[in-house]
Amino acid sequence: MNSLLFITLAAFALLALIVIVLIKTTRLRLWQGLILFLLPLILANLLWFSWVAPHQLQATQREQAVNQLAKMPGYRVLQTQEPALWLLLTQELTRRIREGEPADKATGELRGWLIEVINQRLMRGTDAAVVNYIGVSVEEMRALNQIDPGLCFRYLYPQVSGGINLLTTLPASLNHKEAEAMEQLLLNSPPPEQPLDKTQAQDDLQEIVGRLYLRWGDKLQQLNMPADTAVDRSSLCAMSIDLYSAILALPDKRAANLLRRMVAMTGQ
């Protein structure tokens, strides 16, 4: 920056010297010389404030956003564990900021890119890490449901009506808690996948569904058809919260086993 300023000042000093020489040695008048000197100055300022400065600011914002992402819980682990995904995330973040999107909104929009890797890690994660992560997810469901049941529905079924930006919707404390839970899941999910006890998972699910049926009745079937336009999205969110809360009430080993079974079923 200092070298650029020096070169700029030197260029204008040279231009001033040339103008003075032209005034003394030609028929160039003083006012014409002033115009000749000021015109490049005006053009340079227009160029600086309309193009150079905004692009430099945007480049700085992109760099700051990527550096901030590299320090965030969860994402900082992805740098080393999932380098290909990390590259895609930083490219997407850079693209969004280049298009004028605020850094916090752009960062929040990256969350949808993590669904696949999180599902993979839920299949591999320790019981405690899986239960902890889903527990925080239920907290997010409850918070979103209080704001607007429609937001909770979009959180649960982004494939139906598009996801939401948790970073700009939920309190910072809850976003930080979710990021910490995600990081613990990433750190505690070495390969291979955990073994599944399908029989135990089926038994636990039948017992939980039986209890939920007493409250929700036939409406509970809507959990299997979220894309149906006749579905009551507000009730669907509440039923989902009840379902996951009942699962989390099981001992960790059985809760994690059932959660993994549910993830495996959605991938089939």
Side-chain angles (χ1 to χ4, degrees):
M1 187 65 180
N2 289 334
S3 60
L4 178 60
L5 178 60
F6 175 79
I7 293 172
T8 303
L9 292 175
F12 280 111
L14 178 60
L15 177 61
L17 181 60
I18 292 173
V19 170
I20 292 171
V21 171
L22 288 174
I23 292 173
K24 289 183 176 181
T25 59
T26 69
R27 294 182 178 182
L28 187 71
R29 297 181 180 180
L30 178 60
W31 65 271
Q32 293 174 325
L34 287 174
I35 292 176
L36 187 61
F37 176 76
L38 291 175
L39 187 59
L41 183 62
I42 293 171
L43 292 175
N45 275 275
L46 286 174
L47 178 64
W48 175 264
F49 288 107
S50 65
W51 193 83
V52 177
H55 278 72
Q56 284 190 346
L57 176 61
Q58 196 177 71
T60 300
Q61 290 174 336
R62 292 198 299 267
E63 184 179 356
Q64 290 175 343
V66 171
N67 289 339
Q68 184 64 32
L69 188 70
K71 298 176 183 177
M72 290 177 63
Y75 289 97
R76 60 192 177 192
V77 177
L78 288 174
Q79 283 190 86
T80 53
Q81 291 191 354
E82 304 282 347
L85 176 58
W86 173 255
L87 178 60
L88 291 175
L89 291 173
T90 54
Q91 288 175 343
E92 176 67 6
L93 180 61
T94 298
R95 182 188 69 80
R96 287 179 174 275
I97 293 177
R98 186 183 293 119
E99 292 179 355
E101 201 166 289
D104 57 343
K105 185 177 186 300
T107 302
E109 294 295 336
L110 299 179
R111 186 63 179 76
W113 292 60
L114 306 183
I115 293 176
E116 184 176 348
V117 72
I118 287 175
N119 284 341
Q120 292 173 355
R121 297 310 184 89
L122 287 171
M123 297 299 296
R124 290 159 41 181
T126 61
D127 296 342
V130 170
V131 168
N132 179 54
Y133 181 80
I134 299 300
V136 176
S137 297
V138 173
E139 288 186 50
E140 291 177 321
M141 292 179 211
R142 289 197 178 101
L144 290 168
N145 199 39
Q146 289 181 349
I147 299 171
D148 178 1
L151 291 175
C152 182
F153 179 85
R154 289 169 58 190
Y155 171 82
L156 286 165
Y157 305 103
Q159 72 278 14
V160 176
S161 58
I164 62 170
N165 192 321
L166 294 177
L167 211 58
T168 58
T169 306
L170 293 178
S173 58
L174 188 51
N175 276 302
H176 183 74
K177 189 173 183 179
E178 194 268 348
E180 291 283 0
M182 179 174 68
E183 180 160 288
Q184 287 307 307
L185 178 64
L186 293 171
L187 290 173
N188 293 280
S189 53
E193 292 184 359
Q194 298 281 353
L196 274 177
D197 187 336
K198 296 181 181 179
T199 302
Q200 182 66 62
Q202 185 65 26
D203 291 344
D204 285 333
L205 183 59
Q206 285 182 345
E207 181 184 346
I208 289 171
V209 169
R211 283 189 273 120
L212 293 180
Y213 191 84
L214 297 176
R215 176 180 180 186
W216 294 103
D218 291 339
K219 207 171 187 178
L220 200 63
Q221 296 177 13
Q222 294 183 1
L223 286 171
N224 297 319
M225 46 184 181
D228 194 318
T229 55
V231 163
D232 180 353
R233 294 187 173 186
S234 177
S235 296
L236 196 62
C237 181
M239 286 188 289
S240 297
I241 292 172
D242 282 354
L243 172 63
Y244 284 106
S245 296
I247 294 173
L248 294 172
L250 295 170
D252 280 6
K253 184 175 181 60
R254 288 166 56 191
N257 180 65
L258 178 50
L259 290 167
R260 294 189 195 99
R261 179 56 179 161
M262 292 170 66
V263 172
M265 293 294 290
T266 58
Q268 294 179 355

